[in-house]
Amino acid sequence: MSNPRDITVNVADYTLNVRAAGIIIHNGKVLVHRNINETYYALVGGRVEAGESSADTVIREISEELGKKVEVIGYVATVENFFKFRNGNYHEILFVHRVEFVNEEDKMIEETINNIEGRKELQYEWLDLESVEKYEIRPEVMKKVLTEKNWPVHVVNDDR
């Protein structure tokens, strides 16, 4: 859904996005989301809004999508991400934060979580970190970031 405050700019033949995502890890599993009409997973997050920090974006997005309160507990990565999507060229700057649920009961969740915004096509699933290589995760470089845990890190992903 397009928001006029999202930092998305069309430059030449590219769309520049500024995005932020959170990594929640419980019992050796990481929370990701997937559009059930697509084959790939991505970290939970969204576009940064003008005047908003990337950490605040992650907190807002998880609250909007899952109805859960989280806190940022560390910085993981900056990813320069170049890719094609639906015949468009994208240049994305992705800020990745380590986050944790605030509510102790939420820290026990292990099942698939549904989107509360009415987007039934979005599912939030827990993937085993030890076998993360077998999943299609975008950007692809996040597999390495998740498994090496050499944080913070700056990486470039080029899928053009």
Side-chain angles (χ1 to χ4, degrees), residues 9-77:
V9 181
N10 292 317
V11 181
D13 61 338
Y14 277 87
T15 298
L16 171 66
N17 282 329
V18 179
R19 189 170 182 276
I23 293 177
I24 300 173
I25 298 173
H26 290 166
N27 300 324
K29 296 181 179 186
V30 62
L31 184 65
V32 294
H33 79 276
R34 181 177 73 90
N35 181 321
I36 61 172
N37 300 311
E38 301 288 348
T39 60
Y40 64 90
Y41 295 91
L43 295 175
V44 181
R47 289 191 182 99
V48 176
E49 294 182 353
E52 179 180 56
S53 74
S54 61
D56 287 344
T57 298
V58 173
I59 292 168
R60 174 182 54 78
E61 287 286 345
I62 292 173
S63 175
E64 289 174 356
E65 294 177 18
L66 301 177
K68 307 291 183 192
K69 187 172 181 177
V70 295
E71 61 183 339
V72 173
I73 59 173
Y75 191 70
V76 174

Side-chain angles (χ1 to χ4, degrees), residues 84-100:
K84 288 187 176 288
F85 186 70
R86 295 187 178 136
N87 298 319
N89 296 311
Y90 286 83
H91 178 169
E92 177 180 81
I93 307 300
L94 172 61
F95 298 98
V96 184
H97 296 272
R98 179 78 164 89
V99 298
E100 183 55 85

Side-chain angles (χ1 to χ4, degrees), residues 6 69 107 118 121 130 142:
D6 288 347
K69 187 172 181 177
K107 294 177 185 180
E121 74 278 8
E130 288 188 15
M142 286 313 302

Side-chain angles (χ1 to χ4, degrees), residues 131-149:
S131 58
V132 77
E133 283 298 321
K134 75 177 188 177
Y135 298 101
E136 184 179 355
I137 298 175
R138 293 189 188 170
E140 177 77 18
V141 74
M142 286 313 302
K143 291 179 188 181
K144 183 178 179 181
V145 171
L146 286 166
T147 56
E148 291 184 359
K149 295 183 184 176

Side-chain angles (χ1 to χ4, degrees), residues 77-129:
T78 302
V79 180
E80 295 181 60
N81 189 20
F82 300 91
F83 61 98
K84 288 187 176 288
F85 186 70
R86 295 187 178 136
N87 298 319
N89 296 311
Y90 286 83
H91 178 169
E92 177 180 81
I93 307 300
L94 172 61
F95 298 98
V96 184
H97 296 272
R98 179 78 164 89
V99 298
E100 183 55 85
F101 291 124
V102 173
N103 185 320
E104 290 298 321
E105 289 180 16
D106 291 338
K107 294 177 185 180
M108 308 309 280
I109 297 171
E110 294 188 11
E111 67 274 0
T112 299
I113 305 170
N114 294 317
N115 178 283
I116 65 164
E117 295 174 300
R119 297 189 62 195
K120 295 182 190 299
E121 74 278 8
L122 290 181
Q123 286 187 341
Y124 301 79
E125 303 174 29
W126 297 94
L127 301 183
D128 189 343
L129 279 172

